[in-house]
């Protein structure tokens, strides 16, 4: 699997702008449009997940973090700048690993305090919430997670949080000469989305640049781009 090359996205978007007789758009403005398109794509993906509990996500956007939980540390900061959405949790007890459930706060408290079906090693639960804390004299919202069950004093459990991460922002670096700019791979950052979604991301970016395309137009132009790339590689 490969990410979308920022140069390919820029070249494609500029070809569409030229085809539509648009004016000059700076590389920085194209970057802004692309990153907004990625943000829109992420929002659509998360809305689908929240509505159905599943989605066709790119595994490159899924990460995990391990928490060592004691009897006094059931609540911990997630402390991941790229955290976006919890997907699931696992509890590892020796060689055994059990998948749990992530509930909203009310449902978590209900399950945590249940006398009939309390959380167990076979049925762990967690909840994610935001705690307002003072960090360097500034009020900050800190994402936290609480786990249940917790171990007896003197022992620990290992919880694994699987979450959707925030994509890195794409950057098109370039050099200028006589008023012209040339792509510079040094300093450039490719779009942090699998190349399968090239048409979706670039179409969203073009909308931010004032150009709305039909699917057939995108498919036709993308096919031409792929054909040109094959010719270039010969």
């Amino acid at each position: 699997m490969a990410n979308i090359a920022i140069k390919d996205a820029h070249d494609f978007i500029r070809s569409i702008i030229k085809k539509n007789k648009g004016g000059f758009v700076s590389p920085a403005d194209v970057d802004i449009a692309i990153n907004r398109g990625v943000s829109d794509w992420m929002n659509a993906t998360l809305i689908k997940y929240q509505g159905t509990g599943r989605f066709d996500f790119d595994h490159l956007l899924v990460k995990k973090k391990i928490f060592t939980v004691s009897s006094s540390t059931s609540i911990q900061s997630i402390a991941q700048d790229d955290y976006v959405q919890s997907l699931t949790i696992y509890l590892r007890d020796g060689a055994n690993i059990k998948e749990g459930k992530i509930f909203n706060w009310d449902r978590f408290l209900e399950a945590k305090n249940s006398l009939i079906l309390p959380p167990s090693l076979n049925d762990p639960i967690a909840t994610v919430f935001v705690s307002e804390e003072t960090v360097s004299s500034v009020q900050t919202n800190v994402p936290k997670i609480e786990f249940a069950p917790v171990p007896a004093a003197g022992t620990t459990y290992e919880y694994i949080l699987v979450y959707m991460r925030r994509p890195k922002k794409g950057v098109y670096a370039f050099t200028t000469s006589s008023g012209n700019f040339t792509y510079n791979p040094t300093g450039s950052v490719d779009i942090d989305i699998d190349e399968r979604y090239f048409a979706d991301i670039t179409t969203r970016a073009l909308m931010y640049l004032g150009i709305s395309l039909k699917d057939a137009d995108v498919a036709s132009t993308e096919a031409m781009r792929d054909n040109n790339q094959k010719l270039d590689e010969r």
Side-chain angles (χ1 to χ4, degrees), residues 30-98:
V30 176
D31 276 349
I32 291 172
I34 287 173
N35 289 319
R36 285 179 176 172
V38 170
S39 179
D40 285 352
W41 180 87
M42 276 291 294
N43 288 337
T45 302
L46 291 174
I47 289 172
K48 180 179 179 182
Y49 171 74
Q50 290 166 354
T52 64
R54 57 193 178 90
F55 54 84
D56 298 326
F57 55 81
D58 177 6
H59 78 280
L60 295 177
L61 294 177
V62 177
K63 289 181 68 175
K64 69 178 182 179
K65 180 176 180 180
I66 297 174
F67 295 82
T68 300
V69 176
S70 68
S71 59
S72 61
T73 59
S74 62
I75 299 176
Q76 298 189 30
S77 295
I78 293 178
Q80 297 292 108
D81 291 338
D82 61 357
Y83 172 84
V84 174
Q85 172 80 44
S86 299
L87 300 179
T88 190
I89 60 161
Y90 294 89
L91 191 159
R92 177 181 285 135
D93 179 32
N96 299 317
I97 299 179
K98 293 292 183 180

Side-chain angles (χ1 to χ4, degrees), residues 15-32:
S15 71
I16 296 295
I17 293 174
K18 183 177 180 180
K19 179 181 177 182
N20 284 267
K21 299 180 180 179
F24 173 77
V25 180
S26 71
D29 285 340
V30 176
D31 276 349
I32 291 172

Side-chain angles (χ1 to χ4, degrees), residues 92-118:
R92 177 181 285 135
D93 179 32
N96 299 317
I97 299 179
K98 293 292 183 180
E99 184 174 8
K101 297 182 179 68
I102 298 177
F103 293 137
N104 62 34
W105 181 251
D106 291 341
R107 181 71 183 89
F108 174 81
L109 290 180
E110 180 182 341
K112 177 183 175 182
N113 297 322
S114 174
L115 298 178
I116 301 174
L117 291 172

